[in-house]
Amino acid sequence: LEAAKQMLKELIESDSKNRYGIIGYTTNAIILSPLSSDRELLLHLFDGLNEDLIMTKGTQLMPALKLIRKMSKSKKAIVVLITDGGDELNYNSEAAFARENGLVVNVALLATRNGSTLKDRNGKVIKDEAGHIVVTSRNDAIEVVASASGGRVIESLSSLQSAIASEENED
């Protein structure tokens, strides 16, 4: 979450012309901020995000994509998805939805291929309900969503900025 917040903060600070809406999702999706060009508001929002607000476990991308489509009236909405790749082995239905609904999904994969443990605010390793240590790792299956929608897989802020600039010029 901290890495995602940092990427969002740097993106917002470097881009003065676009509007951004923020959606949080696990198994459900929720609008954290409607589309806005108010940089101060968005940056304040990021400061207030923390893992204590996450009530459900797991990742389902389709509810987030549907909510994104409702948020924007643009024929071609540029989406930045910051994720570890989620839990699914197959994202073909999400890829088809994005393509059919004019969502250009850029996927910023923040997790490593080898995976790592997660720690809570007190520095303790997070465990699931069964007491097993939670390990997050990169799930490349999500790349099909970027590919099918005309987006890109992103691994740095500069490549994200380039992708957004390129997609703006095409629209």
Side-chain angles (χ1 to χ4, degrees), residues 25-142:
Y25 73 98
T26 55
T27 54
N28 295 304
I30 183 171
I31 296 173
L32 300 174
S33 170
L35 286 169
S36 175
S37 57
D38 186 337
R39 304 292 178 255
E40 196 171 315
L41 171 73
L42 293 168
L43 293 172
H44 179 71
L45 171 72
F46 301 151
D47 287 339
L49 293 177
N50 68 62
E51 63 274 359
D52 296 336
L53 300 174
I54 302 170
M55 305 308 283
T56 58
K57 306 292 185 216
T59 304
Q60 290 184 7
L61 181 56
M62 189 62 86
L65 293 176
K66 288 180 178 179
L67 189 55
I68 290 165
R69 184 66 276 171
K70 288 179 185 177
M71 280 180 68
S72 175
K73 303 299 181 207
S74 173
K75 289 182 182 179
K76 181 174 135 182
I78 298 171
V79 177
V80 177
L81 178 65
I82 302 176
T83 182
D84 63 0
D87 304 328
E88 301 298 323
L89 299 176
N90 180 312
Y91 285 98
N92 290 336
S93 59
E94 291 85 352
F97 179 88
R99 182 181 57 251
E100 292 164 6
N101 286 278
L103 300 177
V104 179
V105 182
N106 296 290
V107 179
L109 285 167
L110 296 184
T112 65
R113 292 185 196 279
N114 295 333
S116 63
T117 57
L118 300 172
K119 295 183 179 179
D120 65 16
R121 289 191 158 180
N122 299 321
K124 293 185 179 184
V125 175
I126 297 175
K127 296 182 179 181
D128 65 16
E129 293 81 18
H132 301 107
I133 294 174
V134 174
V135 176
T136 183
S137 61
R138 179 177 167 150
N139 179 0
D140 291 327
I142 201 160

